[in-house]
């Protein structure tokens, strides 16, 4: 593998890992393989700790491709629970309110989903990395401070209801960069008059990289440790020794 010229590695990020956790593990494996103290590794598109699935990791000169890769279309499978809300719109925080949901039918869900497809405006969650006066919104939220975020334009190409047993709802979502599935969950719950929060999320595609193309972190580390390393002609290796 040519880590210096650049590798683009698809990782299936584990549950409760941050995106940085995965990058750190891959970077460490490369540093050990090359016997260097520092090496450039980055990721293209953050996944929340409570989400799993496709995380693209770029090495060496391929880190120049991060912005292009981040702009790729995303696909997710989301599991949503009707009848209750949380401040973070997912399981990061405790339930803060409950609502009736017996009135919700599959036909109702199918009727409201078109409202959230195409070019839409979405208000990000306060528990997000959106910056407010130079500070991440989630830092205000965790201190109980009120934060007002502006709606942002985005595109949802596909919003498909998968086989579900209400009050649990499963959706396949194909969307643009910047879409918050937690915020979509909030909006769907409000439209159904039942409240909702996200209970599971898997990113199944980023651009042309699909979940079935990805390795686990352990598989990536093993492959890195065993691979034959190649170097570009203009590279001068600075080892620990």
């Amino acid at each position: 593998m040519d880590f210096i010229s650049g590798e683009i590695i698809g990782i299936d990020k584990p549950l409760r890992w941050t995106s940085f956790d995965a990058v750190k593990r891959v970077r460490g494996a490369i540093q050990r393989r090359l016997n260097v103290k520092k090496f450039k590794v980055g990721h293209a598109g953050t996944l929340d700790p409570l989400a799993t699935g496709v995380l693209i990791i770029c090495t060496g000169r391929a880190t120049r491709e991060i912005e292009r890769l981040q702009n790729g279309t995303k696909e997710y499978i989301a599991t949503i629970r009707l009848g209750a809300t949380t401040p973070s719109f997912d399981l990061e925080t405790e339930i803060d309110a409950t609502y009736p949901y017996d009135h919700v039918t599959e036909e109702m869900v199918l009727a409201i989903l078109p409202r959230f497809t195409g070019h839409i405006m979405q208000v990000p969650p306060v528990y997000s990395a959106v910056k407010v006066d130079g500070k991440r919104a989630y830092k205000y939220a965790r201190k109980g401070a009120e934060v007002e975020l502006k709606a942002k334009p985005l595109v949802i190409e596909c919003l498909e209801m998968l086989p579900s047993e209400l009050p649990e709802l499963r959706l396949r979502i194909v969307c643009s960069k910047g879409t918050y599935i937690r915020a979509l969950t909030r909006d769907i719950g409000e439209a159904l008059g039942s409240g909702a929060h996200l209970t599971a999320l898997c990113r199944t595609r980023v651009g042309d990289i699909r979940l079935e193309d990805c390795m686990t972190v352990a598989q990536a580390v093993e492959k890195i440790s065993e691979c034959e390393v190649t170097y570009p002609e203009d590279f001068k290796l600075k080892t620990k020794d």
Side-chain angles (χ1 to χ4, degrees):
M1 299 179 78
D2 187 346
F3 301 115
I4 296 93
S5 292
E7 295 286 346
I8 296 174
I9 304 170
I11 294 291
D12 181 0
K13 188 192 79 66
L15 183 67
R16 302 193 184 282
W17 282 44
T18 66
S19 299
F20 179 75
D21 289 336
V23 169
K24 184 178 179 181
R25 188 67 63 88
V26 171
R27 181 192 294 118
I30 294 172
Q31 287 173 175
R32 289 191 296 273
R33 186 68 184 87
L34 298 179
N35 192 34
V36 295
K37 291 182 178 179
K38 295 182 179 180
F39 194 78
K40 184 180 287 187
V41 179
H43 66 80
T46 301
L47 268 180
D48 288 342
L50 294 179
T52 63
V54 180
L55 179 70
I56 299 177
I57 293 181
C58 300
T59 79
R61 295 168 187 167
T63 54
R64 301 169 185 169
E65 298 294 309
I66 284 177
E67 184 174 356
R68 176 185 66 81
L69 292 166
Q70 284 178 331
N71 289 331
T73 298
K74 315 294 192 304
E75 181 179 88
Y76 297 90
I77 301 297
T79 304
I80 295 169
R81 184 77 179 184
L82 304 179
T85 58
T86 72
S88 60
F89 311 145
D90 65 3
L91 296 176
E92 181 185 344
T93 53
E94 299 292 329
I95 289 173
D96 61 355
T98 57
Y99 302 86
Y101 57 79
D102 290 344
H103 63 284
V104 179
T105 63
E106 181 176 332
E107 290 72 25
M108 282 183 64
V109 175
L110 293 174
I112 64 100
L113 291 184
R115 301 185 198 175
F116 305 105
T117 57
H119 292 263
I120 67 169
M121 299 294 290
Q122 183 186 77
V123 178
V126 289
Y127 281 81
S128 69
V130 173
K131 285 191 174 182
V132 179
D133 296 329
K135 190 175 180 179
R136 302 293 185 185
Y138 66 80
K139 292 187 177 180
Y140 291 102
R142 287 172 181 166
K143 291 181 178 179
E146 291 189 10
V147 180
E148 185 175 348
L149 300 178
K150 296 180 180 179
K152 295 184 177 183
L154 52 89
V155 179
I156 296 183
E157 298 179 12
C158 175
L159 187 51
E160 174 189 4
M161 182 176 178
L162 301 176
S164 305
E165 291 190 17
L166 299 175
E168 187 174 87
L169 180 60
R170 295 182 69 247
L171 300 174
R172 184 177 76 91
I173 304 149
V174 181
C175 56
S176 65
K177 172 186 175 182
T179 303
Y180 282 94
I181 307 302
R182 288 180 290 129
L184 178 63
T185 297
R186 170 202 62 202
D187 296 340
I188 288 173
E190 289 177 356
L192 292 172
S194 65
H197 62 283
L198 189 66
T199 58
L201 182 65
C202 180
R203 187 157 69 190
T204 54
R205 178 167 65 91
V206 177
D208 295 328
I209 298 179
R210 297 181 177 274
L211 184 58
E212 53 265 32
D213 303 322
C214 293
M215 297 180 281
T216 65
V217 174
Q219 288 170 337
V221 169
E222 182 179 4
K223 184 173 182 179
I224 290 166
S225 66
E226 296 177 349
C227 74
E228 180 179 347
V229 179
T230 57
Y231 301 92
E233 292 181 0
D234 61 344
F235 181 72
K236 294 182 179 179
L237 184 65
K238 295 181 180 179
T239 66
K240 295 180 182 178
D241 304 329

